[in-house]
Amino acid sequence: MTRMPPLALAALIIITIVAITARPAAAAPMSAATLRITSVSALKDRTNCWTVRLSTGATLKIEKRAFDTGGTAPAIGAISSFRDQHWLPILGYFGYATFVQSGTTFYGYR
């Protein structure tokens, strides 16, 4: 069994501490007029998600949560209350994003 060099071990410990102490960050609030859904894919049976592209260029996979959304799909148009928790690729954590459209809250991830 090989030993990990001290510099690599120190870097791993620092990354772990930063990852553990990181808190979800909310994006700056945007008005519904500035943030819109520009395209929505068909529901994918394999992942049970829609792929949505926002006016900012970001792409989200929106989960179908029947109990939360009542079975409705996101649609092209304005959204409000967008919150993005960002992501941390080092540990495989992908942050969630939520938004409201027509009174329904949708949940997605990058």
Side-chain angles (χ1 to χ4, degrees):
M1 181 171 184
T2 62
R3 294 188 64 203
M4 188 177 287
L7 184 57
L9 183 60
L12 184 61
I13 290 171
I14 290 171
I15 290 170
T16 304
I17 290 171
V18 169
I20 290 172
T21 59
R23 294 209 170 110
M30 302 178 92
S31 68
T34 60
L35 193 57
R36 302 179 49 83
I37 294 176
T38 58
S39 68
V40 179
S41 72
L43 181 66
K44 296 195 177 15
D45 292 334
R46 189 170 186 213
T47 60
N48 210 25
C49 292
W50 293 279
T51 301
V52 171
R53 180 171 294 276
L54 301 177
S55 58
T56 60
T59 301
L60 300 173
K61 293 184 189 286
I62 305 301
E63 299 174 338
K64 181 180 180 184
R65 294 186 176 186
F67 292 114
D68 293 333
T69 64
T72 60
I76 294 173
I79 62 173
S80 61
S81 302
F82 182 78
R83 294 182 54 91
D84 185 3
Q85 296 178 350
H86 303 288
W87 61 292
L88 185 60
I90 297 168
L91 301 176
Y93 168 76
F94 293 91
Y96 277 84
T98 60
F99 63 86
V100 176
Q101 186 178 46
S102 302
T104 303
T105 302
F106 291 96
Y107 302 86
Y109 57 94
R110 292 182 185 230

